[in-house]
Amino acid sequence: MDRISQMLSDYNVLSAFWMTVQLTVWGALGALVLGTIVTVMRVSPVAVFSKAAAFYTNVVLYTPLTLIAFFFAFGVYMKMRISLVPLSSPHVTHSFLMGVVALAVYHSSLVAESLRSGINTVPAGQAEAARAIGLDFGQSLREVILPQAFRGSIAPLGNTMIALCKNTTVVATIGVAESALVMKEMIEMYADLIVPIFVIMATGFVILTLPLGLVFTWWSKRAAVLR
Amino acid sequence: MVEDDRGPVVEMEHVDKYFGDLHVLNDINLVVDKGEVVVVIGPSGSGKSTLCRTINRLESIDSGTIRIAGKTLPDEGKALAELRAKVGMVFQSFNLFAHKTVLENITLGPTKVRKTPTAEAKKRGMELLERVGVANQASKYPAQLSGGQQQRVAIARALAMNPMVMLFDEPTSALDPEMVNEVLDVMVSLVKQGMTMIVVTHEMGFARKAGDRVVFMSDGQIVETNTPDKFFTDPQTARAQDFLSKILTH
């Protein structure tokens, strides 16, 4: 017991999980915005847009998140010296931001696929009726298709958000001090406590993901469109 | 109904359309004048629904010309949306916006397309719902209504745009028999108010009672055009005689 409290005073597990939460929240916001844009392009009648969106979705979806994280952290930031904040900012800020970007980009493909599956739940007649009363493409999407598609996408989007929360552990590889990185360090220093470490980390993730799952299930039932 | 009193509202000239190898519309020529009620009948697969849907370009055509109030139907974009706003459409499967209440279904077009203030659109929406007899359902969602009620709301939704012509694509085919009449009653009242209408239907009673002209289609062609009385009592073509003999014997 003493060793466990010793370990917990050496390593701030709470702040590591707080980092996980921040990665999840910002990554999710970015993924939702990017994914929505990609979906709108995907269903647009302009062939160039829909082809480009399909290409983006497939390339990103089939590339491992680790590679995408490396691409942004080592390729974009370290090699090309491109970042979201001035380069004089502390290194940890860049790592965090590149982690968020990698998570947002990777999960935007999953968000786009979730939204597209939601759009497929909207009967074609809804779009026809929207066009028939004189709504243009953008209005039809905004007023009729996407609100219904979004309701049909809540369950798959929820799964994507849970996956995103767990996938934040991958950005430990680019040096973001989130839970997985702290876990790795703890295992190195307190190898005898491997079981307690496992239990602590697993419990932490269950505390994060289980409520997410429950909220999304409740929400998808509540928002379901009656047909 | 701000346009001039007479003259064609819908003109179709040499319209052809193919679905792959199927010649679904074959040299269609049809002129519908203001205030006229044209009933399109014919066997399944004769192209009558497709004809109806080409008039507001829910289906594109391969050749020929379609004009609405003298203006050629635009291909895509804003101009097409503006034109569609003037052409009311009622679908077989109602297609009410499932996530909006009955009243919101009616006000969406006026507020977004015509930029009518919400309060005014709601007031007019309630008047229209009153007119089709479902005002007491205004705050419900479409799925909570019966088929007949939904279709009457769909008619009100189309009327809210003050269309110069109303297209009905088999408006009663998806309804339980006891609900057919409530929808036909609303349509007959529109006829009485002088609405220009193109009605694709299997309701021969409606065609007889309310139609100015019957257009009979078969295999993508307009085979016969006549007044309802003449068409039902003395069809000129063998194809029409055959069709009527099959549906009027029971």
Side-chain angles (χ1 to χ4, degrees):
Chain A
M1 230 31 215
D2 281 355
R3 292 242 331 133
I4 292 178
S5 50
Q6 174 69 39
M7 175 181 76
L8 290 179
S9 70
D10 284 356
Y11 294 98
N12 194 337
V13 175
L14 267 186
S15 87
F17 269 107
W18 174 235
M19 184 57 87
T20 298
V21 169
Q22 290 179 73
L23 285 167
T24 306
V25 169
W26 293 112
L29 277 176
L32 284 172
V33 170
L34 263 178
T36 307
I37 294 169
V38 171
T39 308
V40 169
M41 286 172 67
R42 184 93 189 242
V43 300
S44 92
V46 184
V48 181
F49 284 167
S50 71
K51 291 229 168 77
F55 180 77
Y56 170 89
T57 307
N58 288 326
V59 167
V60 172
L61 193 60
Y62 298 137
T63 309
L65 174 57
T66 316
L67 277 185
I68 293 176
F70 282 9
F71 172 77
F72 282 105
F74 304 134
V76 175
Y77 166 56
M78 287 186 183
K79 197 81 193 162
M80 293 161 71
R81 307 303 288 165
I82 297 170
S83 189
L84 295 171
V85 288
L87 288 169
S88 54
S89 312
H91 183 76
V92 286
T93 312
H94 292 294
S95 298
F96 173 74
L97 286 175
M98 286 304 150
V100 168
V101 169
L103 287 166
V105 166
Y106 177 71
H107 293 87
S108 69
S109 65
L110 293 164
V111 167
E113 289 296 83
S114 302
L115 285 177
R116 197 162 68 94
S117 78
I119 285 179
N120 290 338
T121 68
V122 182
Q126 296 283 310
E128 288 188 348
R131 280 185 281 156
I133 59 168
L135 298 180
D136 60 30
F137 173 74
Q139 289 172 324
S140 303
L141 271 184
R142 264 198 317 281
E143 301 292 336
V144 177
I145 314 295
L146 285 181
Q148 294 185 49
F150 184 71
R151 290 160 198 238
S153 311
I154 290 172
L157 278 177
N159 294 337
T160 303
M161 293 306 127
I162 290 165
L164 191 152
C165 178
K166 297 187 289 178
N167 288 345
T168 54
T169 52
V170 169
V171 304
T173 55
I174 60 169
V176 180
E178 49 67 73
S179 47
L181 193 72
V182 171
M183 176 176 77
K184 183 173 151 264
E185 287 170 2
M186 288 195 299
I187 292 172
E188 272 167 26
M189 301 309 290
Y190 293 87
D192 54 319
L193 296 180
I194 185 111
V195 172
I197 292 171
F198 172 82
V199 171
I200 289 168
M201 298 322 275
T203 311
F205 272 101
V206 166
I207 289 170
L208 289 182
T209 55
L210 203 63
L212 259 184
L214 291 173
V215 165
F216 273 99
T217 307
W218 169 82
W219 192 18
S220 82
K221 280 194 187 132
R222 217 185 86 106
V225 184
L226 290 171
R227 301 229 182 259
Chain B
M1 274 147 266
V2 282
E3 261 70 25
D4 50 357
D5 274 12
R6 281 284 139 201
V9 176
V10 177
E11 297 163 89
M12 303 179 82
E13 276 172 19
H14 304 297
V15 171
D16 279 283
K17 181 178 176 65
Y18 296 84
F19 282 140
D21 286 337
L22 185 67
H23 202 166
V24 60
L25 292 180
N26 186 348
D27 193 29
I28 299 292
N29 292 281
L30 179 68
V31 176
V32 180
D33 283 327
K34 193 162 183 63
E36 201 180 9
V37 177
V38 171
V39 180
V40 184
I41 61 177
S44 302
S46 60
K48 52 194 196 304
S49 271
T50 310
L51 177 132
C52 190
R53 290 163 57 84
T54 57
I55 295 171
N56 65 355
R57 213 171 195 283
L58 286 179
E59 299 282 354
S60 60
I61 56 175
D62 293 314
S63 64
T65 317
I66 299 177
R67 282 191 293 272
I68 309 285
K71 270 176 69 180
T72 306
L73 206 53
D75 274 355
E76 270 303 330
K78 268 268 184 266
L80 179 62
E82 272 168 33
L83 207 130
R84 277 178 176 149
K86 297 179 195 163
V87 178
M89 175 116 192
V90 175
F91 300 88
Q92 181 177 353
S93 47
F94 331 133
N95 294 348
L96 292 178
F97 305 129
H99 64 306
K100 291 193 178 289
T101 65
V102 164
L103 185 57
E104 287 166 351
N105 263 273
I106 315 271
T107 56
L108 182 67
T111 52
K112 297 295 167 189
V113 179
R114 301 253 199 263
K115 313 291 178 207
T116 309
T118 311
E120 197 185 317
K122 275 189 179 167
K123 188 168 160 277
R124 167 117 168 88
M126 285 310 295
E127 286 167 14
L128 285 165
L129 287 176
E130 199 78 56
R131 203 163 128 192
V132 298
V134 281
N136 54 343
Q137 314 285 339
S139 55
K140 287 193 182 167
Y141 284 90
Q144 296 170 292
L145 270 56
S146 73
Q149 290 172 326
Q150 287 191 54
Q151 194 61 301
R152 285 184 281 154
V153 173
I155 293 173
R157 176 175 69 181
L159 289 175
M161 302 302 289
N162 294 319
M164 18 187 216
V165 54
M166 287 278 283
L167 309 173
F168 291 86
D169 183 7
E170 303 202 23
T172 57
S173 299
L175 294 175
D176 290 339
E178 74 266 32
M179 291 171 184
V180 168
N181 277 334
E182 63 191 57
V183 171
L184 290 179
D185 286 345
V186 170
M187 290 167 63
V188 167
S189 77
L190 284 179
V191 173
K192 287 188 180 137
Q193 286 157 26
M195 176 62 76
T196 311
M197 291 165 55
I198 298 175
V199 184
V200 174
T201 188
H202 294 293
E203 294 297 329
M204 299 304 149
F206 175 83
R208 269 191 124 129
K209 188 162 75 172
D212 292 317
R213 209 161 22 124
V214 168
V215 167
F216 176 72
M217 284 188 76
S218 176
D219 300 319
Q221 289 174 300
I222 294 182
V223 178
E224 188 166 343
T225 304
N226 218 330
T227 61
D229 264 352
K230 282 214 177 112
F231 178 78
F232 286 109
T233 52
D234 183 20
Q236 302 296 307
T237 57
R239 190 70 190 82
Q241 285 161 9
D242 178 54
F243 177 75
L244 288 174
S245 73
K246 279 177 184 148
I247 57 164
L248 296 178
T249 43
H250 296 288

